[in-house]
Amino acid sequence: MKVHLRQRKQSKTGQTSLYLEIYKGTVNTPDGKTKILRDYKYLNLYLTDKPTTPLERQQNKDIIKLANDIRAKTELEIKNGQYGFRSGQKNKVDFIAFFKQQAEKRNTDIWLSAASHLSTYAGDLLPVIQITTEFCKNFKVYLEQEAISKLQEKKLSKGTAHVYFNAFKSCLNIAVANNIINKNPCNEVASPKNINAQREYLTIDEVRLLVKTDCQREVLKKAFLFSCLTGLRYSDINNLKWSEVVKTNNGHQLIFTQQKTKELLYLDISEQARVLLGETGKPHEKVFKGLYYSGEQNLRLQNWMIQAGINKKITFHSGRHTFAVLQLDSGSDIYTVSKLLGHANLKTTEIYSKILDKKKREAANRLPDIGIIQ
């Protein structure tokens, strides 16, 4: 890779700015054309145009020398793999194909959808060398302002844009771990703001209705009810293996590493929750075989709610909210609930206490008018 020192005259100031043009090779585009890949590094160094004094001429010489030193250092960093991308064939790895491959490993439609939006934005082929910090910023803007949900045929919600961009960022971290790129160009780009939506949850009576109501996918029904009884996230339920279900003197316990926090958790589960797991399988097998949560499954989950007569916008994560609210409502202290949920910070759990406070206020206002208020 070559690094060239370039000059550009500034029309407003009359000075000449210095910058580096980094030649990163070529790739073939889907239409068969060859595209030259370049990157730019602005040095914030300026030459005096038409110097008239010995001092100005000497300053220009010193600035050019400094710029050339930076150019040589940058070229050396690239050769040593310190500039964020690798030399050689790994530069040409198709990131979209890599993204989809990682999504399939995780058995999650969120990553597949994020990869699909990336393909819509960047084209069917995206050599990893093209993913710069500027590219990441522009993709973020695309998700926030232009991307359309295929299922709902409208712009993505702020929460969805946040989730998709984080999936993109996480996949770049995997590319770093696989030695495809040296550093994540997305590290300096903040994720889209996620507006905290109302934490929707189910009452105990609504959960009982779901138990009695058939769902199009039995494994989805069992997994969601299991979340309501344990507070586990979808990612942990989906990855749960029989080797992590342990029989103890007092019942059953799950011993597993949380997918989100990577922390080991020892979680006692009720007999009801154990019944949902069904017959014990082989240690390496997943407990909830065939579970695949996606946009389509979201619709099936919502249809299940409708069939049960529940008029709430419920997602799989609502099962976790339900567990927290039901635990607090039944008298469990907030510290215990925090530990059951695997929260690192008690403040996260306190949100559910506020939900209960609102619930109590609503209950107080349900009393009939006794004629005091005129």
Side-chain angles (χ1 to χ4, degrees), residues 267-332:
L267 181 66
D268 291 297
I269 62 173
S270 66
E271 188 59 30
Q272 291 185 97
R274 176 60 186 89
V275 169
L276 282 171
L277 299 183
E279 188 177 344
T280 303
K282 296 178 181 178
H284 67 277
E285 290 180 337
K286 285 189 174 184
V287 174
F288 293 95
K289 287 183 180 179
L291 182 63
Y292 191 92
Y293 196 57
S294 64
E296 180 187 354
Q297 299 294 11
N298 269 332
L299 293 176
R300 290 185 178 183
L301 190 65
Q302 198 59 47
N303 286 337
W304 180 32
M305 299 298 145
I306 293 170
Q307 291 296 319
I310 299 170
N311 187 25
K312 291 180 179 178
K313 190 174 181 180
I314 297 296
T315 65
F316 197 98
H317 203 69
S318 300
R320 182 170 169 85
H321 299 327
T322 297
F323 172 79
V325 173
L326 293 182
Q327 280 286 347
L328 290 170
D329 200 25
S330 65
S332 298

Side-chain angles (χ1 to χ4, degrees), residues 89-102:
Q89 290 300 313
K90 287 192 175 181
N91 284 335
K92 298 182 180 180
V93 170
D94 179 13
F95 184 74
I96 291 174
F98 179 77
F99 201 167
K100 290 178 179 178
Q101 182 186 51
Q102 296 303 315

Side-chain angles (χ1 to χ4, degrees), residues 204 207-208 211 222 225-226 229-230 252 269-278:
I204 188 63
V207 175
R208 286 170 178 154
V211 172
K222 288 183 177 180
L225 291 174
F226 189 73
L229 293 175
T230 62
H252 288 85
I269 62 173
S270 66
E271 188 59 30
Q272 291 185 97
R274 176 60 186 89
V275 169
L276 282 171
L277 299 183

Side-chain angles (χ1 to χ4, degrees), residues 79-148:
K79 289 178 181 178
N80 292 334
Q82 298 172 14
Y83 195 72
F85 47 82
R86 303 287 184 186
S87 59
Q89 290 300 313
K90 287 192 175 181
N91 284 335
K92 298 182 180 180
V93 170
D94 179 13
F95 184 74
I96 291 174
F98 179 77
F99 201 167
K100 290 178 179 178
Q101 182 186 51
Q102 296 303 315
E104 289 168 0
K105 284 183 180 180
R106 280 158 180 73
N107 191 28
T108 170
D109 195 56
I110 289 174
W111 279 45
L112 282 173
S113 296
S116 177
H117 280 288
L118 181 62
S119 178
T120 300
Y121 172 71
D124 294 332
L125 179 67
L126 178 61
V128 70
I129 197 172
Q130 292 187 24
I131 304 177
T132 61
T133 298
E134 192 64 27
F135 177 95
C136 296
K137 289 178 180 177
N138 292 335
F139 180 54
K140 172 187 171 181
V141 172
Y142 165 79
L143 290 175
E144 290 178 313
Q145 300 179 9
E146 299 178 36
I148 302 295

